[in-house]
Amino acid sequence: MRSVFYISDGTALTAEAFGNALLSMFPVTVEQRTIPFVDNEDKARQAVKRINEAHQASGLPPLVFHTFVDLNLQNIVINSEGVCFDFLQHYVQPVADQLQLAPQPRMSRTHGIRDDYSARIDAINFTLDNDDGSNISDYEQADIILVGVSRTGKTPTSLYLALQFGIKAANYPFTEDDGFESLKLPKSLKPYRHKIYGLTLDPQRLHEIRNSRREGSRYASLQQCRFEVAEVERLYRREAIPFIDSTQYSVEEIATKIIAETNLKRRHY
Amino acid sequence: MRSVFYISDGTALTAEAFGNALLSMFPVTVEQRTIPFVDNEDKARQAVKRINEAHQASGLPPLVFHTFVDLNLQNIVINSEGVCFDFLQHYVQPVADQLQLAPQPRMSRTHGIRDDYSARIDAINFTLDNDDGSNISDYEQADIILVGVSRTGKTPTSLYLALQFGIKAANYPFTEDDGFESLKLPKSLKPYRHKIYGLTLDPQRLHEIRNSRREGSRYASLQQCRFEVAEVERLYRREAIPFIDSTQYSVEEIATKIIAETNLKRRHY
């Protein structure tokens, strides 16, 4: 199998994002390896050794996606037997020309601690403190409140909003306590209805997810899933709460769709 | 101020990663806006309108970083007044040549639901269930167990490991109950010491973080922070537990350093 390496003198997260986006255009299965923090000549030579060994093992030259600040280390790596791609190469000069500024490469530039860092950590803490309807007194501070029945993706989406974008996302699960037979917007949520966003899911998929947690329970039964989903969607429509059916979407897609639709202000880029 | 747009017919997360990495090389402050899910001509023309308005407002042509699968929509956007950068452009053909495959662009290719998706969701659920020492019976299943005193970054790091890499990361906080005066590895952790990784922090920084949560408390006092950090670092050294001082590092950097050092297997690329 073809090997792919992501290499950097930093986290290599940018090299991964770059390589992943490119490779996802091709119907190919590859063996992926990341070598981050290659910040001295020894480590660079070790990386070269691993690239060359992968070449010997498969007979195919590995693809190497790299982002180095230190050009001396980069030089060592691009003299390996891999086919090397530096994704900044073609773009730095055109951007410099537009900005009329010279580039000033420095370490930890993309994923280090920046001005907006504590806002992100605050958002993560807020989201954890307000997970699963656990702290309804804090909704005043929330940027958004995700609602939905159990296992429709509220918690992963909240966490992604906090980690990636610094957004304070609370979430509130509708449960038996809210009375599915005549579901109403809970009192604690009423003052914040402008911040509420609903999630829903195909009942069959919900049934499968719940069954893998509590097999054979009433909670997981298809009948119960159908009932809860129907009631909650009826509530969304009656109260004009915007909502998304998350069945076909990943956490990243749900989170970015919600931001696009609500014009939620991000604290982190 | 110069405007920067990230535009895509998908999440635009790749366009953001690409533009961010490039812009972080320049000492410049920009106004950033993301327009995701530009998936019809109407939305493409609206995006063009926003780009042109930003040009009029500042007198500077906006920088536009885009990743389109639909080339018809891309064409509409690159005919705006912005300076447009397509980061795949220079790399698709060389990669295609190497792989001897034609590219097959499709929607949701990078951030959609893929084979490894449920592993990631499982990891997030595991990490939440095992946050803050709350479920010490599950350590058998953990890929890694982060330990440290309160407020040293265990929870954000665990969540990042789970969300980004699909790693099941438990965490255990050392507290007064563990007896800082003669700190030992708790019994519940002993069978899993090969999975344990320690976090520590500069006592002054820890004092500031704790003070913003519980101002003036004994818990937040510089003296208490110094004492706890000294005791926990002594434990790490005595028990040969690998550890990292997170004072200078972001969550991304801590997580990727831990993976690199422990050879932790990722479930998601």
Side-chain angles (χ1 to χ4, degrees):
Chain A
M1 197 190 299
R2 175 89 61 163
S3 285
V4 169
F5 287 88
Y6 306 111
I7 306 185
S8 171
D9 41 9
T11 62
L13 289 169
T14 303
E16 286 183 8
F18 164 51
N20 257 320
L22 265 174
L23 288 170
S24 66
M25 301 183 76
F26 297 93
V28 65
T29 309
V30 294
E31 169 112 27
Q32 302 177 92
R33 294 164 207 187
T34 300
I35 314 182
F37 305 108
V38 176
D39 48 14
N40 63 44
E41 293 191 7
D42 244 25
K43 291 189 194 167
R45 277 188 287 265
Q46 276 192 303
V48 168
K49 192 161 167 262
R50 288 179 63 188
I51 295 166
N52 294 351
E53 283 169 358
H55 182 194
Q56 304 306 322
S58 69
L60 296 164
L63 305 185
V64 179
F65 299 97
H66 62 88
T67 57
F68 277 95
V69 171
D70 184 326
L71 297 183
N72 174 39
L73 300 176
Q74 174 175 294
N75 248 326
I76 295 173
V77 169
I78 63 182
N79 278 305
S80 70
E81 295 167 23
V83 182
C84 294
F85 299 94
D86 167 9
F87 101 106
L88 295 177
Q89 187 189 340
H90 290 286
Y91 300 96
V92 174
Q93 201 50 51
V95 172
D97 292 346
Q98 274 303 317
L99 297 175
Q100 298 182 283
L101 287 169
Q104 299 182 353
R106 58 191 158 74
M107 292 301 296
S108 299
R109 58 189 181 210
T110 321
H111 294 102
I113 291 185
R114 295 183 302 177
D115 295 348
D116 56 12
Y117 189 68
S118 68
R120 259 174 87 206
I121 297 295
D122 286 350
I124 296 167
N125 289 328
F126 178 88
T127 293
L128 285 170
D129 290 345
N130 290 277
D131 184 36
D132 224 18
S134 53
N135 203 357
I136 54 178
S137 61
D138 268 8
Y139 288 165
E140 182 69 40
Q141 285 183 57
D143 296 317
I144 190 163
I145 305 165
L146 300 182
V147 299
V149 302
S150 168
R151 297 287 138 190
T152 46
K154 296 181 300 300
T155 296
T157 305
S158 305
L159 289 171
Y160 191 80
L161 285 168
L163 262 170
Q164 179 83 9
F165 304 115
I167 287 170
K168 292 184 177 178
N171 74 74
Y172 180 94
F174 294 117
T175 65
E176 300 279 0
D177 294 344
D178 296 302
F180 285 118
E181 292 75 18
S182 56
L183 195 60
K184 292 197 187 75
L185 202 58
K187 258 190 200 158
S188 55
L189 288 178
K190 276 196 180 158
Y192 309 107
R193 46 173 310 149
H194 57 290
K195 301 188 196 176
I196 297 175
Y197 202 99
L199 294 182
T200 190
L201 199 63
D202 172 58
Q204 177 64 36
R205 179 82 193 108
L206 184 61
H207 162 62
E208 289 159 16
I209 294 171
R210 287 185 174 184
N211 225 15
S212 74
R213 281 228 143 188
R214 289 198 231 154
E215 205 179 342
S217 64
R218 176 170 166 276
Y219 159 84
S221 72
L222 184 54
Q223 191 188 4
Q224 180 67 18
C225 291
R226 278 194 185 128
F227 171 60
E228 291 186 19
V229 167
E231 290 304 312
V232 84
E233 290 186 6
R234 197 204 312 263
L235 173 74
Y236 294 159
R237 291 194 179 94
R238 195 177 63 232
E239 298 276 347
I241 294 170
F243 70 99
I244 187 170
D245 179 337
S246 64
T247 311
Q248 307 293 334
Y249 299 124
S250 69
V251 167
E252 284 85 342
E253 290 171 312
I254 301 166
T256 51
K257 275 175 195 284
I258 291 173
I259 293 175
E261 229 185 274
T262 58
N263 276 316
L264 215 49
K265 208 172 142 43
R266 300 157 51 144
R267 293 195 184 77
H268 174 68
Y269 252 102
Chain B
M1 199 190 299
R2 175 88 62 164
S3 284
V4 169
F5 287 87
Y6 307 111
I7 305 185
S8 171
D9 41 9
T11 63
L13 289 169
T14 303
E16 287 183 7
F18 163 52
N20 256 320
L22 265 173
L23 288 170
S24 66
M25 300 183 76
F26 297 93
V28 66
T29 309
V30 294
E31 170 112 25
Q32 301 177 93
R33 294 165 208 187
T34 299
I35 314 182
F37 305 109
V38 175
D39 48 15
N40 63 43
E41 293 191 8
D42 246 25
K43 289 189 194 168
R45 277 188 286 264
Q46 276 191 304
V48 168
K49 192 161 166 263
R50 288 179 62 187
I51 295 166
N52 294 351
E53 283 169 358
H55 183 193
Q56 303 307 322
S58 68
L60 297 163
L63 305 185
V64 179
F65 299 97
H66 62 89
T67 57
F68 277 94
V69 171
D70 184 327
L71 298 183
N72 174 39
L73 299 177
Q74 174 175 293
N75 248 327
I76 295 174
V77 169
I78 63 182
N79 279 304
S80 70
E81 296 167 21
V83 181
C84 294
F85 299 94
D86 167 9
F87 101 108
L88 296 175
Q89 186 190 339
H90 291 286
Y91 300 96
V92 174
Q93 201 48 53
V95 171
D97 292 346
Q98 273 303 316
L99 297 176
Q100 297 182 281
L101 287 170
Q104 299 182 353
R106 57 190 159 77
M107 291 302 295
S108 300
R109 58 186 184 216
T110 320
H111 294 102
I113 290 185
R114 295 183 302 177
D115 296 348
D116 56 11
Y117 189 68
S118 68
R120 259 174 86 206
I121 297 295
D122 286 350
I124 296 167
N125 288 328
F126 178 88
T127 293
L128 285 171
D129 289 346
N130 291 275
D131 184 38
D132 224 19
S134 53
N135 203 356
I136 55 178
S137 61
D138 268 8
Y139 288 164
E140 182 70 39
Q141 285 183 56
D143 296 316
I144 190 162
I145 306 165
L146 301 182
V147 299
V149 302
S150 167
R151 297 287 138 189
T152 46
K154 296 180 301 299
T155 296
T157 305
S158 305
L159 289 170
Y160 191 80
L161 286 167
L163 262 170
Q164 178 84 10
F165 305 115
I167 288 171
K168 293 184 177 178
N171 74 74
Y172 181 94
F174 294 117
T175 65
E176 299 279 1
D177 294 345
D178 297 302
F180 284 118
E181 293 74 19
S182 56
L183 194 62
K184 291 197 187 73
L185 202 58
K187 257 188 200 162
S188 56
L189 288 178
K190 276 196 180 158
Y192 308 107
R193 47 172 309 148
H194 57 291
K195 300 189 197 178
I196 297 174
Y197 201 98
L199 295 182
T200 189
L201 199 63
D202 171 58
Q204 176 64 36
R205 179 84 192 104
L206 185 61
H207 161 62
E208 288 159 17
I209 294 170
R210 289 186 174 184
N211 225 16
S212 74
R213 281 229 143 187
R214 289 199 230 154
E215 204 177 343
S217 66
R218 176 169 166 276
Y219 160 84
S221 72
L222 184 55
Q223 191 188 4
Q224 181 68 17
C225 291
R226 277 195 184 127
F227 171 61
E228 290 186 20
V229 167
E231 290 305 312
V232 86
E233 291 188 5
R234 197 203 313 262
L235 173 74
Y236 294 158
R237 292 196 177 93
R238 195 177 64 231
E239 299 277 348
I241 293 169
F243 70 99
I244 187 171
D245 179 337
S246 64
T247 311
Q248 306 292 335
Y249 299 124
S250 70
V251 167
E252 284 86 340
E253 290 172 312
I254 300 166
T256 50
K257 273 175 196 285
I258 290 173
I259 293 175
E261 229 185 275
T262 58
N263 275 315
L264 215 48
K265 207 171 142 44
R266 299 156 53 144
R267 292 194 186 78
H268 174 70
Y269 251 102

